[in-house]
Amino acid sequence: MSWTAKDIQNLRTKGLSIHVQQNTESVKIPNVDKGSVGKNTIEALLQEMKRLGVISGYVRELKFDEVRRFRFDWAIPELKLAIEYEGLNSEKSRHTTKKGYTGDCVKYNLAILNGWKVLRYTALNYSDFPQDIKVFLRKL
């Protein structure tokens, strides 16, 4: 996947260590999916929060409903907090179809009806997660 110099600079400002190979058209980063930067950032912050003892742990792909088999990207079960990363990186994402968006609505409504709080992020707002989680923890 090709990355522009601006993409690389944005990643570096977020504290990510990037190794690049130059070519004539753009900068390439091997083995990194551009769409996963947000997910990786959220995961890294959750790992750091666990390491520091801010949270006792978190679960990836927590199945919170046995009937519908819905899963959260991440969950902190003791806080009943779910964190979702919406994959909107392509023109036609499941999240942007009528059926997919409706399924997401059903999932989030069911989660809320069962006492979960859900924080949702995309490639454009995942950097809000650190501040959002601080606010959430402060309100406990």
Side-chain angles (χ1 to χ4, degrees), residues 85-102:
Y85 187 84
E86 309 296 350
L88 304 172
N89 292 321
S90 63
E91 223 173 272
K92 176 136 183 175
S93 165
R94 186 200 69 78
H95 296 284
T96 60
T97 65
K98 287 179 188 177
K99 185 176 179 182
Y101 190 83
T102 301

Side-chain angles (χ1 to χ4, degrees), residues 4-43:
T4 66
K6 185 176 179 184
D7 291 330
I8 300 301
Q9 184 57 37
N10 286 339
L11 295 174
R12 284 190 173 131
T13 61
K14 293 181 186 342
L16 297 172
S17 175
I18 306 296
H19 303 282
V20 299
Q21 295 175 327
Q22 293 286 95
N23 72 15
T24 57
E25 296 177 6
S26 61
V27 179
K28 296 214 179 227
I29 300 177
N31 303 322
V32 176
D33 175 17
K34 188 174 182 178
S36 68
V37 171
K39 281 187 105 165
N40 291 343
T41 301
I42 292 170
E43 177 90 19

Side-chain angles (χ1 to χ4, degrees), residues 34-40 42 73-74 83-89 95 108 119-126:
K34 188 174 182 178
S36 68
V37 171
K39 281 187 105 165
N40 291 343
I42 292 170
D73 291 333
W74 302 276
I83 300 116
E84 288 284 300
Y85 187 84
E86 309 296 350
L88 304 172
N89 292 321
H95 296 284
Y108 299 135
L119 297 176
R120 297 174 63 195
Y121 299 95
T122 69
L124 298 179
N125 76 333
Y126 71 89

Side-chain angles (χ1 to χ4, degrees), residues 45 121 126-138:
L45 182 59
Y121 299 95
Y126 71 89
S127 60
D128 294 342
F129 179 65
Q131 183 60 35
D132 292 347
I133 194 74
K134 284 179 190 174
V135 171
F136 177 84
L137 294 170
R138 219 174 320 160

